[in-house]
Each structure stands twice: as C-alpha cells, then as structure tokens.
Amino acid sequence: MKKSILTLSLLCALCACSGSDDNESKDMTQPVISAQGITANPVECQQYHRGEVIPFHYLFTDNQELGAYNIEIHSNFDHHTHSTSATECPMDANKEPVKPWVFNQDYPIPSGQQTFEARHDIQIPADIDTGDYHFMIRLTDGAGWQQLHAVAIKIVE
C-alpha cells in the first residue's frame, strides 16, 4: 500500500512538472507605437490652425496580436505632463479654458494583425481655444498590454 501511494505521488509530481509552460504562449510584451519607415504625424511641437485637419499617421506593431487604439486630444493650458517625451516645446502662459477642444475616439484593429498602419484626418474645430494641447495615442494589444505616446502640439488662429 505504501509503495502504491509513493508511486502515485511520484507520478502526480512528474505530470505536474511535465506540462507545457503557459508563460511561453502568454503575451508578456507591450505593443509598439512607431514612426519607423513612415512619416509619422503629429510629432512634438507641431502647430495647426483652427479649422484645419491633423493628418494622423503612425505604425503599430505587436509580437502576437494588436487589439485597438484610442486617440485623445485635450488642452494643456495648465502645463501638465504625460512624460512620454524628453522634448520640451515652447509654451504659452497658463490660462483658464473658455472653449477647450476635447477629442476622444476609439478605433478597432482587424483581428490577427501584428502590424497596422493607422491613418485618420482629424478635423480641428474652428471655434476652440488656441494654445497648447496634448495629442495622445493609446495602443492596446490582444492580451491587454498598453502603450502610451503623447506629443505636445499647439493650435493657433
């Protein structure tokens, strides 16, 4: 009886150790927001006029599968930071917003994609406050990992 319990215990231990390693198949890597091989837009310190279009263009990659992305644009009249760039752009004086622009849009990526070139023309309203803004890109992969890329832009008359 002791021998069969010992054999059964040993067999269970061997089975537990011989299973496939789940970490080999799990996606443990963040997706990448890139300008490699393209002319990315917008980039740090670019200026746009009210009523114009921002021609958005970035390349997204992931080691397994991309999920979706979000574009957010909001005022930076208080000079807060998102710390994704070391570049410092000339800024206007702090000011209270009257009619700040807020843009927030989610975009799906077709399933199974490891590379996706994202392009959109984003219309800037003609009647918003001019000044400093953040243009933020949030990219999520199929496993839920996220990458953030924020650039400072300026909206002028």
Side-chain angles (χ1 to χ4, degrees):
M1 178 76 167
K2 278 187 175 183
K3 189 174 184 177
S4 62
I5 291 175
L6 182 60
T7 304
L8 183 59
S9 296
L10 185 57
L11 183 60
C12 287
L14 286 173
C15 288
C17 292
S18 67
S20 66
D21 186 3
D22 285 340
N23 285 336
E24 288 179 21
S25 62
K26 283 186 183 176
D27 184 352
M28 303 300 288
T29 305
Q30 289 180 313
V32 176
I33 300 168
S34 174
Q36 187 172 356
I38 63 168
T39 302
N41 197 67
V43 294
E44 289 287 346
C45 308
Q46 280 186 305
Q47 290 190 7
Y48 299 93
H49 294 272
R50 293 192 292 189
E52 286 185 342
V53 165
I54 297 174
F56 171 75
H57 187 202
Y58 273 88
L59 181 66
F60 303 146
T61 60
D62 189 63
N63 63 321
Q64 290 191 8
E65 182 178 15
L66 293 164
Y69 62 103
N70 170 275
I71 297 173
E72 178 189 340
I73 304 167
H74 63 263
S75 68
N76 186 22
F77 302 157
D78 63 355
H79 299 170
H80 66 274
T81 182
H82 295 284
S83 300
T84 66
S85 174
T87 304
E88 291 199 27
C89 304
M91 298 183 82
D92 296 344
N94 282 13
K95 68 179 186 179
E96 287 296 316
V98 176
K99 192 170 183 186
W101 182 27
V102 177
F103 179 90
N104 194 333
Q105 182 69 47
D106 294 323
Y107 299 92
I109 296 173
S111 44
Q113 301 292 308
Q114 289 180 303
T115 301
F116 184 78
E117 195 169 335
R119 290 179 178 264
H120 299 284
D121 286 336
I122 300 171
Q123 182 69 47
I124 302 169
D127 61 347
I128 60 164
D129 291 342
T130 59
D132 301 305
Y133 282 83
H134 281 144
F135 191 106
M136 299 179 59
I137 308 160
R138 289 180 185 86
L139 174 62
T140 306
D141 70 11
W145 293 102
Q146 187 178 83
Q147 185 66 257
L148 172 69
H149 182 67
V151 297
I153 62 171
K154 191 177 294 283
I155 306 297
V156 297
E157 291 289 332

